[in-house]
Amino acid sequence: MRREQNKEYTRNLLITSAIELFKQQEYQKTTIDEIAKKAGVSKPTFFAYFRSKEQILYEFDLQQLEAFELYMKEQLNSQGDLFANLREGIMHMATNLHSTNVLTQNLMHLVTISADYKQLLMRMSTIFQSITKDVLEFGQENQMVTMNIPADEIARDIFNIYLGGLVSWVISNGEDSLEVLIGSALEHYFTGIKIV
């Protein structure tokens, strides 16, 4: 039991150390040696947990999606405002994943140069849309969300709003807040699919 806890601690320490470095400097310039040093472990220890820097990003993204899924399940059980809770869950995930403009710029650049990372992000997109679709289907079953558009299409639209907000944020060099760029767009979109 203790050994498993130590493994999980080391894994999370490597993720946290890498993300802190990615926020401060360019992803491409961050070395595995630097990540290992910041985490206080050896380079072979790094490779015992991760194959690459891209895998760390994937694991970090996955942690945020798992937190988003858990949050949404809790909210559905609470009978609160579906749209407010969905917006809150997405914004919480966005601000955790994209806490600095530098990190988001690095991630977007990485998509253009790494086929592996592009594949990972495609999987993340699928997971995000699946979680969102489940929430929307719940909303349709309870007459909160329009039945005129299939839940999977709405989930895809929401993902595109999320992605578009990130691109706008990068282009503006972080001058506008994610809350404005993504949150406001979600509010407008929700107005069109909400059953009043």
Side-chain angles (χ1 to χ4, degrees):
M1 177 77 171
R2 186 168 174 85
R3 187 167 191 226
E4 287 303 312
Q5 288 175 332
N6 287 341
K7 280 182 158 182
E8 190 64 25
Y9 173 80
T10 301
R11 180 180 194 76
N12 287 331
L13 183 61
L14 283 163
I15 292 170
T16 303
S17 298
I19 296 301
E20 285 176 13
L21 288 168
F22 299 156
K23 288 177 186 178
Q24 297 166 5
Q25 60 195 29
E26 289 184 32
Y27 170 86
Q28 292 82 352
K29 292 182 180 177
T30 302
T31 66
I32 289 172
D33 285 330
E34 287 176 311
I35 295 168
K37 182 178 178 183
K38 184 161 184 67
V41 301
S42 67
K43 192 172 179 179
T45 299
F46 174 93
F47 285 111
Y49 290 88
F50 300 103
R51 292 185 317 272
S52 64
K53 296 187 295 184
E54 287 93 344
Q55 189 183 11
I56 284 184
L57 288 174
Y58 176 73
E59 293 294 328
F60 180 66
D61 288 352
L62 193 56
Q63 285 177 352
Q64 300 310 310
L65 278 170
E66 288 170 353
F68 172 55
E69 182 175 32
L70 181 63
Y71 174 82
M72 290 314 305
K73 284 181 179 176
E74 289 172 359
Q75 298 313 308
L76 291 178
N77 291 331
S78 75
Q79 301 297 315
D81 181 331
L82 178 85
F83 294 99
N85 292 337
L86 182 56
R87 181 187 180 283
E88 179 67 28
I90 291 170
M91 291 311 306
H92 181 74
M93 183 179 61
T95 54
N96 281 342
L97 283 172
H98 304 280
S99 53
T100 69
N101 191 264
V102 172
L103 177 60
T104 304
Q105 287 175 11
N106 285 327
L107 296 176
M108 289 188 176
H109 178 67
L110 186 57
V111 169
T112 66
I113 62 171
S114 170
D116 288 344
Y117 191 63
K118 188 174 186 176
Q119 283 294 111
L120 294 175
L121 279 187
M122 287 172 65
R123 279 189 241 147
M124 300 308 291
S125 163
T126 301
I127 295 168
F128 176 92
Q129 290 180 58
S130 175
I131 295 166
T132 307
K133 179 181 172 243
D134 290 345
V135 172
L136 294 164
E137 285 176 342
F138 174 87
Q140 288 176 330
E141 290 166 9
N142 291 281
Q143 284 114 28
M144 294 181 268
V145 176
T146 183
M147 297 291 287
N148 297 333
I149 307 169
D152 60 332
E153 288 182 24
I154 298 172
R156 186 179 62 238
D157 289 346
I158 290 171
F159 178 75
N160 289 333
I161 290 168
Y162 178 80
L163 197 58
L166 293 176
V167 170
S168 294
W169 193 51
V170 167
I171 290 170
S172 76
N173 280 330
E175 291 176 15
D176 296 319
S177 73
L178 278 178
E179 185 76 21
V180 169
L181 293 170
I182 297 174
S184 296
L186 287 173
E187 290 287 335
H188 297 307
Y189 185 79
F190 290 164
T191 300
I193 63 168
K194 187 185 294 189
I195 294 176
V196 184

